Amino acid sequence: MKFSAVLDHAWAEDPGSPTALGRDLRLVRAAAPELLALDVPASSYAKLAASYRPDRQDRSARQDRSDRSPRSGEITAVVLTHNEEQVIGACLRALTDDCDRVLLVDSGSDDSTLRTAKAAVAHVEHVTRAWTDDFAAQRNAAFERVRPGGWLAHVDADETLSAESRGRLRAVLSVLDHALPGADLVVSPRILDTSRECHTNTRRVLRSHTALRFRGRVHERPYDAHGAEPPCVEVDVTFHHTGYEPEVIARKGKRERYARLIERCLAEEPSNPKWHFYAVRDGMVGRKPGPDEARSLYGRLEEARALYGARPSSDYEKERLADSLVLQCELALGFGGGREIGELAPLLRDRGRLLEASYYQAFAEFGALLNRSSHLLDQLAEDTRHELPGGRLLAGRSYDLQALLALTCGRYDDVPRLLEEARSRQAGALTTGTVESLAALLPGQREQ
């Protein structure tokens, strides 16, 4: 029986009385095709459900364990810290139902981070590792400190598991252990920023005995030794992230630190195009470049994209290819690059980014239509000046059409004058009818 069929059975169960297997499997929101094609260790869904023993050990029982023996499915939260006394307590307390142990990889905190962590939850261990401008190296240090047979859940100190998600991480890892015990995979919980931006392909949770390791001094993600990306499962587990709030960025100097790390990555891997993407994207945070800068940044990304054709590229290098195409489209909007967007849209479609391809192509073509509408308005305005005797009705219709074109292309200040000219010639129904129809469609406008 394939894992895809198992998921289908889980979703087909009565939501009012699901099996334990079905309830936990429904936390899986998406899975890589290679995982869906795997066989599960049972010949039927009923047998798989009957043999499932979900890990729902009582919190107090977990905290009271005095033995240090390994057990299958043990979940260790790995948290990188450096002076995180303001957030570490809330971070760890939220993980109590889902993680058996906490491992802090600390880079030399000189505040109360460690004391606060140990006061917040039981079974906190820490290792001090000097900061070497390398987030991946900090994360990889955790593999040397945990026992095989469980999971490592990498959580940032400024992230908090949402109240409605508590217990879900343990449940979904338990069901993955049961249904896909031999699969070397990564698990992606959702991370929701305070700006409401939601990140889904986070790749934060992996087996403790995996050969996968994080790569990248910054924006690090797990890969195998050849730079291949492991198959991923996206799950219905949400963390709230506060680290991108403006005051936090300024206080911790994040923007400057990330820029410095990206420059190091560019120096060490000049032929890796993803670092050009990060350099451009991170340099735009909090601001919108003008047309000239947008064109220049677009050109930089175009040159970086050409690096993909110079030699075979690993997943590690291709990690941000589709996102780079999206960023190029956004930059092209900034300098009116409709032609460029027309060239990029098919590339996005080829990579399964259908919504972005349609949005940017439609936006660019709509912009061209607005420009054409504005040109037609100017042409009509010029020619209507030559109104002939006896042509009053046609001139009125021309002013009516001009008013509608002005509405279409955003030249709203012209509309009252043009509509007045149209009405003085017994016209104007076209524009008036359009405005009334729009008003009827807009919420709250009918009473005004």
Side-chain angles (χ1 to χ4, degrees):
M1 188 178 191
K2 303 297 182 185
F3 185 54
S4 58
V6 170
L7 290 176
D8 290 341
H9 276 285
W11 283 100
E13 286 187 355
D14 180 358
S17 56
T19 63
L21 179 72
R23 178 190 58 229
D24 291 350
L25 278 172
R26 287 166 74 100
L27 295 172
V28 174
R29 293 306 189 189
E34 55 265 51
L35 295 177
L36 295 175
L38 290 178
D39 291 316
V40 300
S43 58
S44 70
Y45 184 79
K47 289 182 178 179
L48 192 69
S51 61
Y52 181 49
R53 300 293 180 267
D55 182 2
R56 280 177 171 72
Q57 188 177 5
D58 179 72
R59 177 195 303 184
S60 60
R62 292 197 305 274
Q63 290 182 342
D64 290 343
R65 287 177 66 235
S66 57
D67 67 286
R68 307 287 289 176
S69 59
R71 66 183 181 86
S72 176
E74 183 175 84
I75 303 170
T76 299
V78 178
V79 186
L80 307 188
T81 54
H82 179 74
N83 291 344
E84 306 289 355
E85 63 182 4
Q86 295 182 10
V87 293
I88 192 64
C91 172
L92 299 188
R93 283 189 294 271
L95 294 171
T96 305
D97 290 333
D98 292 87
C99 296
D100 302 287
R101 302 190 185 281
V102 173
L103 174 62
L104 304 185
V105 182
D106 189 75
S107 55
S109 295
D110 55 15
D111 65 356
S112 65
T113 294
L114 300 182
R115 292 193 304 276
T116 303
K118 292 178 179 180
V121 295
H123 301 311
V124 174
E125 305 170 45
H126 84 274
V127 55
T128 299
R129 187 182 190 280
W131 175 245
T132 58
D133 278 353
D134 193 331
F135 281 104
Q138 298 296 107
R139 294 198 188 279
N140 290 335
F143 289 97
E144 304 168 6
R145 304 284 300 206
V146 295
R147 297 178 292 270
W151 294 87
L152 297 184
H154 289 263
V155 181
D156 286 351
D158 51 14
E159 293 170 352
T160 306
L161 186 65
S162 68
E164 62 274 13
S165 292
R166 293 175 191 177
R168 291 183 183 178
L169 182 61
R170 179 178 293 279
V172 77
L173 296 183
S174 174
V175 81
L176 288 174
D177 273 335
H178 184 65
L180 298 174
D184 197 10
L185 52 82
V186 294
V187 176
S188 288
R190 291 188 294 257
I191 297 179
L192 186 64
D193 286 332
T194 49
S195 64
R196 307 306 295 173
E197 183 176 1
C198 186
H199 308 275
T200 56
N201 190 23
T202 57
R203 300 176 175 264
R204 290 289 199 85
V205 185
L206 58 170
R207 298 188 190 276
S208 60
H209 58 275
T210 183
L212 301 171
R213 291 296 183 268
F214 286 88
R215 291 184 64 177
R217 288 183 177 274
V218 65
H219 303 304
E220 66 285 0
R221 291 159 71 102
Y223 297 90
D224 70 13
H226 304 289
E229 192 171 65
C232 180
V233 174
E234 293 183 11
V235 297
D236 187 13
V237 176
T238 300
F239 286 85
H240 293 291
H241 179 228
T242 60
Y244 287 155
E245 292 179 353
E247 61 272 19
V248 177
I249 292 175
R251 174 168 51 84
K252 305 195 79 170
K254 286 189 173 184
R255 186 165 291 132
E256 296 78 12
R257 178 173 60 178
Y258 284 6
R260 176 170 50 80
L261 293 178
I262 289 170
E263 286 303 316
R264 286 198 64 173
C265 293
L266 280 166
E268 293 166 352
E269 303 177 27
S271 62
N272 187 340
K274 81 173 185 178
W275 299 122
H276 294 276
F277 162 79
Y278 283 124
V280 171
R281 188 200 68 174
D282 292 3
M284 291 171 53
V285 172
R287 67 185 189 86
K288 184 176 181 180
D292 291 342
E293 185 185 5
R295 187 179 293 276
S296 175
L297 294 174
Y298 178 95
R300 177 175 180 178
L301 291 178
E302 189 73 6
E303 291 176 4
R305 188 155 56 90
L307 295 172
Y308 288 115
R311 57 181 176 78
S313 301
S314 66
D315 292 340
Y316 170 66
E317 294 164 316
K318 292 186 293 186
E319 173 192 310
R320 292 298 186 177
L321 174 54
D323 291 332
S324 185
L325 294 171
V326 171
L327 183 53
Q328 281 191 273
C329 286
E330 192 68 26
L331 290 166
L333 291 181
F335 61 82
R339 177 184 60 80
E340 288 82 355
I341 289 175
E343 295 171 353
L344 293 168
L347 301 178
L348 282 170
R349 288 189 175 277
D350 290 345
R351 286 157 181 81
R353 305 291 285 267
L354 304 184
L355 176 58
E356 289 97 331
S358 293
Y359 170 79
Y360 286 108
Q361 190 160 26
F363 200 104
E365 292 184 10
F366 182 60
L369 288 173
L370 292 183
N371 289 334
R372 179 61 178 158
S373 297
S374 186
H375 174 74
L376 289 173
L377 172 56
D378 291 336
Q379 182 177 329
L380 266 177
E382 175 62 28
D383 293 343
T384 306
R385 293 173 52 203
H386 304 288
E387 179 182 349
L388 296 173
R392 184 176 180 81
L393 179 58
L394 182 58
R397 291 168 60 188
S398 173
Y399 280 117
D400 192 6
L401 181 56
Q402 289 177 56
L404 187 59
L405 285 169
L407 277 175
T408 301
C409 62
R411 291 166 58 173
Y412 305 122
D413 291 344
D414 295 338
V415 175
R417 175 183 60 80
L418 294 168
L419 190 55
E420 171 104 11
E421 294 283 1
R423 285 172 170 168
S424 71
R425 294 166 174 79
Q426 286 73 54
L430 182 63
T431 302
T432 302
T434 300
V435 170
E436 290 175 350
S437 297
L438 287 172
L441 292 173
L442 297 174
Q445 296 301 308
R446 295 177 183 176
E447 296 79 16
Q448 294 182 8

